[in-house]
Amino acid sequence: MARVWNFSAGPSCLPEEVLKECAAEMMDYNGTGQSVMEMSHRSSAYEPIIQDAEAMIRKLMNVPENYKILFVQGGGSTQFAMVAQNLGIKTGKAAYIETGVWAKKAAQEAAKLGVEVTTIASSKDKNYSYIPKVEKIEGDYDYAYICLNNTIMGTHYEYLPETGDIPLVADISSCVLSEPLDVSKFGLLFAGAQKNLAPAGVTLVIIREDLITDTPRKDTPTMLMYKTHAENDSMYNTPPCYTIYVLGKVLHWIEKNGGAEGMLKRNQEKADYLYNYLDNSDFYRATAEKGSRSLMNVPFLTKYSTGAEDEESVAKEKAINSKFVKEAEAAGFMNLKGHRLVGGMRASIYNAMSLEGVKALVDFMEKFAKEN
């Protein structure tokens, strides 16, 4: 069977070049006679793999020397708790900007753990279709928290709030290495790997060393202390070895294709092509407002999505969306069903998705619009 165009929001498509390399090494990695899947994480064969992955993150993201790079487990959702437990310890207060589901869940988790959460801005009034402008954050907060790219809503920060001495924490799960990012402006960054870096299973954390504390919030489990992972080079317990191995290969692919700057150029071209089509279409429309649009996730609705709640309108919208997704799958365009909170469709066009794939999608969308 031929490869499909995979527009999944995550786990997402990986570079074919990387998949082929992994397949070729599946039974015998580097002359060891074994797969990376089955080798000991303490072995001399595996040690260079995780060291190379860390070195490539530091290189591609220009990570300053006073930051630790950690590979942990539990996904971004576990980071909601780890951030609160490890950083919310001086005043016990934190500022959150609510721009969608994941920022809201992060705030809720922090509050559950006893942090006094202040939602200083929100875009809930327009179903999170824009990024609220917060130029400066002041106060006695232990940290300020943002979700840099909102996968479900298709929005992205085109600015960073000025936080002064308040450490800025960002969830960059769905935009990591899709563009250059000044790590020094943040106290902590984290990213689930399954969007732009690797298969699901490993979470990247980049944390400024002064934020790694011996005394996190009371009763913090050992595995939820950044200190545990920093002191043990991400090897306190068995890490997700194979996922880190694939991550390393993806990082080398990114380097070969121009690094973060090359990814930005590639992603801007894809996003511009899709948004330009949507903005000039009489049949479709993008849901995210201009000035807040993600380069990675593009939700869109059809002309039947009027927002009316009468039974006839809702039925028409569901029918046309279902038809679109079904016909798209038959044509080789997978995972385009939109999230229930937005409706319609969503095309996730992460680093590994090519311009060819986006152009093919637009051709299908145009054909579908003419027929419906």
Side-chain angles (χ1 to χ4, degrees):
M1 181 179 176
R3 291 275 293 173
V4 298
W5 297 113
N6 181 8
F7 292 93
S8 172
S12 64
C13 60
L14 288 164
E16 287 193 19
E17 179 182 320
V18 169
L19 293 174
K20 289 175 181 176
E21 285 181 20
C22 294
E25 295 175 347
M26 178 58 74
M27 299 297 289
D28 179 11
Y29 172 72
N30 200 27
T32 62
Q34 58 185 317
S35 171
V36 175
M37 273 189 184
E38 55 191 356
M39 65 174 53
S40 167
H41 62 295
R42 306 288 183 190
S43 67
S44 59
Y46 186 75
E47 188 178 2
I49 292 174
I50 193 168
Q51 289 177 345
D52 177 66
E54 179 179 337
M56 287 301 295
I57 287 289
R58 194 170 291 278
K59 179 179 181 181
L60 291 172
M61 296 185 70
N62 294 312
V63 179
E65 290 185 6
N66 63 323
Y67 284 72
K68 285 283 189 182
I69 295 169
L70 311 176
F71 299 117
V72 299
Q73 298 176 60
S77 295
T78 299
Q79 289 306 303
F80 300 164
M82 287 186 73
V83 166
Q85 288 176 310
N86 288 266
L87 273 61
I89 55 176
K90 293 179 181 177
T91 67
K93 300 176 183 179
Y96 281 71
I97 300 178
E98 184 186 316
T99 51
V101 170
W102 302 115
K104 184 178 181 180
K105 285 188 174 183
Q108 290 172 337
E109 190 74 3
K112 184 190 296 185
L113 293 166
V115 174
E116 185 181 327
V117 170
T118 300
T119 301
I120 59 172
S122 173
S123 52
K124 186 178 180 180
D125 61 321
K126 294 185 179 179
N127 197 30
Y128 304 115
S129 60
Y130 69 100
I131 299 294
K133 191 71 173 179
V134 181
E135 294 183 358
K136 195 169 187 178
I137 300 175
E138 297 178 300
D140 60 343
Y141 300 115
D142 288 330
Y143 63 91
Y145 184 103
I146 63 172
C147 181
L148 199 63
N149 188 84
N150 297 278
T151 319
I152 292 174
M153 307 304 176
T155 59
H156 177 74
Y157 280 79
E158 294 193 356
Y159 76 100
L160 289 177
E162 176 58 50
T163 61
D165 293 333
I166 303 170
L168 180 61
V169 175
D171 176 354
I172 59 170
S173 294
S174 53
C175 61
V176 59
L177 276 170
S178 65
E179 60 185 344
L181 190 63
D182 186 350
V183 173
S184 69
K185 291 185 179 296
F186 299 86
L188 187 150
L189 295 164
F190 69 84
Q194 68 274 13
K195 316 283 190 179
N196 261 338
L197 296 180
V202 68
T203 304
L204 169 68
V205 174
I206 303 173
I207 181 171
R208 208 172 65 214
E209 289 179 350
D210 64 290
L211 298 177
I212 300 173
T213 177
D214 291 324
T215 55
R217 294 180 73 85
K218 187 180 179 181
D219 299 329
T220 299
T222 301
M223 280 294 291
L224 298 186
M225 295 170 60
Y226 291 122
K227 184 174 185 285
T228 300
H229 303 283
E231 288 185 342
N232 291 277
D233 298 321
S234 302
M235 290 274 202
Y236 178 78
N237 69 326
T238 306
C241 299
Y242 194 79
T243 307
I244 293 170
Y245 155 79
V246 179
L247 181 147
K249 288 190 176 295
V250 172
L251 295 174
H252 282 282
W253 175 85
I254 290 173
E255 181 183 43
K256 191 165 72 172
N257 285 276
E261 293 81 4
M263 291 299 103
L264 176 59
K265 182 180 178 182
R266 174 188 177 99
N267 293 326
Q268 190 73 63
E269 190 174 15
K270 291 182 295 183
D272 284 349
Y273 192 90
L274 183 50
Y275 282 122
N276 286 339
Y277 173 72
L278 291 169
D279 290 341
N280 290 286
S281 171
D282 294 326
F283 190 83
Y284 306 99
R285 60 183 172 88
T287 61
E289 294 185 8
K290 292 181 179 180
S292 296
R293 287 177 170 177
S294 169
L295 299 182
M296 299 284 93
N297 312 100
V298 185
F300 58 95
L301 304 173
T302 69
K303 66 178 181 181
Y304 294 98
S305 305
T306 61
E309 295 183 0
D310 61 279
E311 289 186 12
E312 184 180 355
S313 298
V314 171
K316 276 185 177 181
E317 181 181 346
K318 286 184 176 179
I320 198 70
N321 291 346
S322 179
K323 185 180 183 184
F324 181 98
V325 172
K326 185 177 180 180
E327 292 187 11
E329 288 185 358
F333 302 95
M334 309 302 289
N335 301 305
L336 283 165
K337 184 178 180 180
H339 193 277
R340 65 185 182 278
L341 295 178
V342 179
M345 282 65 64
R346 173 178 54 178
S348 291
I349 50 176
Y350 297 118
N351 286 349
M353 175 56 65
S354 65
L355 179 61
E356 180 188 3
V358 174
K359 287 183 174 180
L361 173 62
V362 168
D363 288 344
F364 169 80
M365 291 169 66
E366 180 67 14
K367 178 175 179 291
F368 184 88
K370 288 178 180 177
E371 293 173 353
N372 292 275

